[in-house]
Amino acid sequence: MSDNILASGHTACAGCGEALGIKLILNAAGPNIIVANATGCSEIFSSRYPESAWGIPWVHSLFENTAAVASGIEAALKVLGRESEANVIAQGGDGGMADIGFGALSGMFERGHNILAITLDNEAYMNTGVQRSGLTPLGARTTTSPPGELSWGNITPKKDMPQIAVAHGVSYVATATVAYFKDLEKKIKKALTIKGPKYIQVLVPCPLGWQHDPSLTIRVSKLAVETCIYPLIEIENGKLTNVVKVTSKKPVEEYLKLQGRYKHLFGREGANEHLAKIQAIADENAKRYGLV
Amino acid sequence: MTLEVLEGSKAVSDVIGLCKPDVISAYPITPQTHIVENLSEMVADGKLKAEYIRVESEHSAASACLGASLTGARTYTATTSQGLLLMLEVLYNISALRLPVVLTCANRAISSPLNIWCDHQDAITLRDTGWIQLFAEDIQEAVDMHIQAYKIGEDKRVMLPVVISMDGFLLTHTFEPVEVPSEEDVDRFLPKYNPKYFLTTKNPMTFGSFAEPDKYMEARYILNEVLNQSKVVIAEVARDFKDAFGRFGGDLVEEYNTKDADIVLVGMGSIISTMKEVTDELRKRNNRIGVLKIRSFRPFPDKEIVSCLKDKKKVIVVEKAISLGFGSILASEIKSVLYNSGAAPRVDSFIAALGGRDISKETINKIIEKSMTEKVDLEFVDLNRDILPEDFSE
Ligand SMILES: Cc1ncc(C[n+]2csc(CCOP(=O)(O)OP(=O)(O)O)c2C)c(N)n1
Ligand code: SF4
Ligand SMILES: [Mg+2]
């Protein structure tokens, strides 16, 4: 039964981390959910009329209003006495949730709706052709942060959404990624037992945008954690309660070199300085969250 | 019948309370604020059992109504001007998802220059969104229209959102003797909202798919058909309302002394009352003049307009919005439906009261006089050339 929550036959690219992420999320959440989904790859590959991959009640409205749509769904369930019918999930890409839909998400957090918000973080606007988002990491090539004579890719570090959620007083905040699927499932299940707003950010590699081989999705996802580039954490009521420990921390190059989006950081004069900045971010993560 | 002297916003919020929306979501903006403040109070006092979502923007207000409506709740929001424009993207989505959200637009001008007073530029922007758009002439009609709006929108033949335009300040902040119906009467007239399709785990469905070029046009065609067919329901509900409450402000249009008229004034909203007064006085002096009130701007009452106007000598349209770079909007639409009718009368077009400039009886009289002496393709009423820069003062 639960296998049909996201049916096969959707049109995601081979090796799509986002499709895998959604499948894991849905299997963990079970059938008693209502999902509001932002515009983006996830919506496009799953809902081409007259087909639908969704075995649960699902709505796509727009790019930036998913958290507000979910707020309305949750309020309606409450006032109609149907609260026990379903958990409400608001999900979208990094663009939909953390950039253009940020105001709506902030409102949803601050009003205390009983909703699980999920960012499917593939670190760029993939659906429109890999443009930079606020969650694009330092140095990454996107089509709007290309490397060039004067450029080393994206010039800003990733916006720290989990901490922004924490600052809203969101009682359960976590990060996850597809390679650690048990960890992801556990976090989804746990989040759904907590009343109020929850935030989970899931790193979902995108072979097309990250320019890695589709067979490497899991490896790339795993290396993001093992290099401490993407710490897997849980913050409950403002306190760090759990981290996925990294037994032997790998240099960031191992993660970066598998991906074409970082190609310009290898074999070009002056690249080391930029690699060092990325390594510094990973080191800071390790220290800040006690990963090693 | 018991009349009470009420502020327009108070009267409207009272009647919304009687319509018992399950979810209200709104964001404050002048001159809509009194409506949503009153509703907040009603919820706070337990007089209205509704979830009130105090959103962070109008975009989210409309979106929350969308989500709630799709979950099977009756919903309400109100806004105006900049807020309506911020909602615009969501409003297109709401109609295409066939959700009978009801929205009050307290009509107000659009920035820049910033201006909080009444004109219709905001609501006119919704022209192509697929919403049913009704314009109220006075506070009583605004009250009655809100009850009708839920009944029309939630009709299984329709399932579309409805926006009621009531002129900002002119109707929202003025006091008139009005009758707010009793709860029992509203309950009897307005059945509970009971949609066929909604978000539920009992029957999981996908809403808001994407459609490729081989399917999209059909979806838009259906929406256009349904909106046009809603004319029947709008008229039916107006008649049923008359039977139930004894009041009738027209159906798609209201014709006022038009049958024997040579000249007909056309407008929307509170200007109609002034037009009626002026023409009453002119009739006493043997002028055959009447008024056509456009009550439903969308769906557009093409047949009603043709049947009322086709044999007239002159039609004078006074409107509170402009299509920049072109000119009149309402007058153009009226001309377009008359064009092929065989006996198209002369249509004169006046743009008036932008940004809340007063329209008095004298203004209307001046408009009529001007129209009697010359052909007026487009005239800005009471334009003060003295304050225009030199380049424009001719
Ligand atoms: C208001 C608005 N602006 C822009 C777009 C175009 N748009 C659609 S999806 C998208 C990017 C989606 O990126 P993200 O949210 O990260 O999801 P992904 O496709 O990467 O999964 C953009 C820019 C839109 N649909 N609506
Ligand atoms: S572009 Fe990336 S996120 Fe989108 S479907 Fe392809 S792999 Fe998945
Ligand atoms: Mg993305």
Side-chain angles (χ1 to χ4, degrees):
Chain A
M1 158 74 215
S2 62
D3 265 5
N4 292 330
I5 298 182
L6 186 79
S8 56
H10 58 71
T11 58
C13 310
C16 174
E18 190 160 284
L20 176 59
I22 291 172
K23 187 142 192 148
L24 294 169
I25 290 164
L26 293 184
N27 283 346
N32 293 330
I33 50 171
I34 295 176
V35 174
N37 205 122
T39 309
C41 274
S42 58
E43 160 261 335
I44 291 290
F45 68 58
S46 65
S47 72
R48 181 171 58 190
Y49 185 83
E51 279 138 18
S52 170
W54 301 93
I56 43 101
W58 182 91
V59 57
H60 158 251
S61 171
L62 297 166
F63 188 23
E64 70 277 42
N65 68 348
T66 309
V69 170
S71 300
I73 294 171
E74 182 252 16
L77 290 177
K78 208 191 267 177
V79 70
L80 298 173
R82 288 167 46 200
E83 255 181 312
S84 59
E85 182 186 317
N87 278 305
V88 181
I89 293 179
Q91 73 176 10
D94 43 304
M97 301 303 276
D99 283 354
I100 198 167
F102 182 70
L105 183 63
S106 170
M108 186 212 101
F109 284 161
E110 149 271 305
R111 291 188 300 270
H113 291 278
N114 185 27
I115 296 170
L116 169 58
I118 300 175
T119 296
L120 300 158
D121 181 14
N122 54 21
E123 306 192 317
Y125 302 150
M126 294 313 177
N127 186 51
T128 38
V130 200
Q131 294 87 14
R132 178 210 175 265
S133 82
L135 299 201
T136 299
L138 183 70
R141 161 207 275 276
T142 69
T143 53
T144 54
S145 64
E149 202 54 32
L150 303 175
S151 164
W152 291 85
N154 187 40
I155 56 172
T156 49
K158 216 174 156 70
K159 170 157 69 179
D160 195 346
M161 278 300 287
Q163 290 297 345
I164 291 170
V166 170
H168 278 79
V170 172
S171 56
Y172 184 79
V173 175
T175 54
T177 186
V178 286
Y180 294 74
F181 61 92
K182 286 238 163 71
D183 175 70
L184 168 56
E185 286 185 2
K186 185 193 79 191
K187 285 169 177 167
I188 298 288
K189 285 203 159 95
K190 183 165 176 184
L192 291 176
T193 64
I194 295 164
K195 234 178 142 58
K198 287 81 63 173
Y199 181 71
I200 301 184
Q201 185 167 300
V202 187
L203 183 74
V204 289
C206 164
L208 187 100
W210 296 10
Q211 297 166 274
H212 64 71
D213 192 277
S215 66
L216 296 183
T217 299
I218 296 300
R219 199 154 143 216
V220 168
S221 160
K222 198 149 186 260
L223 278 166
V225 178
E226 290 171 342
T227 53
C228 299
I229 285 271
Y230 213 91
L232 301 188
I233 57 170
E234 279 177 293
I235 300 175
E236 291 168 77
N237 302 313
K239 301 236 155 40
L240 184 69
T241 50
N242 184 37
V243 300
V244 171
K245 286 277 183 187
V246 175
T247 37
S248 72
K249 179 164 169 271
K250 296 188 168 144
V252 291
E253 281 89 341
E254 285 195 33
Y255 172 67
L256 305 178
K257 71 182 184 229
L258 292 181
Q259 305 171 52
R261 64 174 170 157
Y262 294 112
K263 202 165 80 191
H264 54 282
L265 297 181
F266 296 92
R268 181 175 160 194
E269 201 180 322
N272 282 347
E273 180 198 328
H274 296 277
L275 285 171
K277 281 186 195 153
I278 297 173
Q279 187 61 58
I281 290 173
D283 295 347
E284 176 57 30
N285 283 339
K287 206 160 88 197
R288 183 177 182 194
Y289 293 115
L291 300 177
V292 286
Chain B
M1 186 170 89
T2 47
L3 286 175
E4 254 182 296
V5 176
L6 290 177
E7 189 208 34
S9 298
K10 172 80 169 85
V12 163
S13 39
D14 281 357
V15 82
I16 288 301
L18 295 174
C19 294
K20 299 176 184 159
D22 302 299
V23 176
I24 298 167
S25 185
Y27 191 85
I29 178 166
T30 306
Q32 152 265 37
T33 40
H34 290 182
I35 299 175
V36 297
E37 288 165 2
N38 289 339
L39 286 166
S40 307
E41 244 176 69
M42 289 157 74
V43 173
D45 291 340
K47 291 185 184 142
L48 174 61
K49 185 188 162 285
E51 278 292 311
Y52 193 122
I53 313 177
R54 293 156 190 90
V55 278
E56 77 298 334
S57 76
E58 287 90 352
H59 198 281
S60 285
S63 301
C65 285
L66 183 156
S69 184
L70 192 60
T71 311
R74 180 174 286 166
T75 58
Y76 177 75
T77 188
T79 188
T80 172
S81 183
Q82 312 307 130
L84 194 77
L85 294 194
L86 189 57
M87 282 185 179
L88 189 60
E89 185 197 23
V90 189
L91 301 184
Y92 272 90
N93 212 239
I94 288 174
S95 54
L97 287 168
R98 306 282 302 277
L99 300 173
V101 174
V102 169
L103 184 159
T104 308
C105 177
N107 304 94
R108 164 183 152 181
I110 301 281
S111 249
S112 166
L114 190 143
N115 176 297
I116 58 169
W117 292 276
C118 175
D119 70 32
H120 290 166
Q121 198 69 47
D122 53 0
I124 292 293
T125 311
L126 303 195
R127 188 173 79 146
D128 306 327
T129 55
W131 279 59
I132 292 173
Q133 285 187 264
L134 307 177
F135 279 77
E137 174 187 343
D138 53 27
I139 296 173
Q140 185 67 63
E141 190 175 32
V143 166
D144 297 347
M145 256 182 192
H146 281 85
I147 306 171
Q148 295 178 32
Y150 280 110
K151 183 122 167 175
I152 296 163
E154 292 172 3
D155 189 292
K156 292 282 184 300
R157 294 166 289 175
V158 180
M159 290 301 287
L160 284 174
V162 184
V163 50
I164 292 127
S165 279
M166 66 187 291
D167 286 350
F169 291 111
L170 301 174
L171 298 184
T172 56
H173 286 56
T174 50
F175 287 73
E176 272 178 27
V178 285
E179 194 206 351
V180 177
S182 71
E183 185 176 347
E184 303 78 67
D185 286 351
V186 175
D187 283 349
R188 206 172 308 122
F189 185 77
L190 186 65
K192 281 206 152 45
Y193 180 44
N194 182 23
K196 198 162 159 199
Y197 305 110
F198 56 97
L199 286 169
T200 172
T201 52
K202 305 218 166 69
N203 177 25
M205 292 180 73
T206 293
F207 296 91
S209 334
F210 93 95
E212 293 187 318
D214 63 337
K215 309 261 175 5
Y216 181 86
M217 193 139 125
E218 285 69 19
R220 303 305 284 178
Y221 175 82
I222 292 169
L223 194 54
N224 184 53
E225 284 294 297
V226 172
L227 185 53
N228 280 325
Q229 287 163 14
S230 74
K231 287 176 192 171
V232 178
V233 180
I234 295 170
E236 194 180 290
V237 169
R239 282 196 304 277
D240 290 352
F241 189 88
K242 186 181 174 197
D243 293 343
F245 298 93
R247 279 187 302 274
F248 183 73
D251 35 49
L252 295 155
V253 298
E254 184 196 18
E255 295 194 36
Y256 185 79
N257 289 332
T258 55
K259 290 288 172 278
D260 68 339
D262 299 322
I263 306 161
V264 177
L265 292 168
V266 188
M268 304 196 290
S270 63
I271 194 175
I272 294 291
S273 300
T274 319
M275 287 176 165
K276 284 177 177 173
E277 274 188 55
V278 170
T279 55
D280 281 349
E281 285 163 16
L282 288 171
R283 274 192 167 259
K284 284 189 199 133
R285 285 178 263 136
N286 292 326
N287 292 290
R288 289 199 300 198
I289 186 163
V291 177
L292 177 66
K293 170 167 96 183
I294 307 297
R295 202 168 166 269
S296 166
F297 178 60
R298 285 292 184 275
F300 197 63
D302 49 357
K303 292 199 181 66
E304 291 74 9
I305 287 171
V306 170
S307 109
C308 173
L309 299 180
K310 71 174 176 351
D311 297 321
K312 304 305 178 198
K313 290 213 178 85
K314 181 139 230 169
V315 174
I316 303 170
V317 184
V318 188
E319 62 193 290
K320 299 186 176 184
I322 179 170
S323 172
L324 296 172
F326 177 60
S328 63
I329 299 166
L330 180 61
S332 306
E333 297 199 341
I334 288 171
K335 282 188 226 174
S336 94
V337 298
L338 287 171
Y339 187 77
N340 287 341
S341 72
R346 169 76 207 174
V347 177
D348 281 354
S349 169
F350 293 85
I351 289 175
L354 299 187
R357 190 161 300 184
D358 197 30
I359 299 192
S360 61
K361 290 200 280 185
E362 294 79 76
T363 323
I364 300 288
N365 270 312
K366 242 171 35 196
I367 288 171
I368 297 168
E369 270 163 41
K370 173 124 192 173
S371 188
M372 289 303 95
T373 51
E374 58 187 278
K375 290 181 175 166
V376 185
D377 287 334
L378 184 68
E379 164 92 4
F380 287 79
V381 178
D382 287 340
L383 189 70
N384 183 359
R385 294 198 177 269
D386 294 345
I387 62 168
L388 290 175
E390 240 170 67
D391 295 356
F392 299 92
S393 56
E394 258 321 282

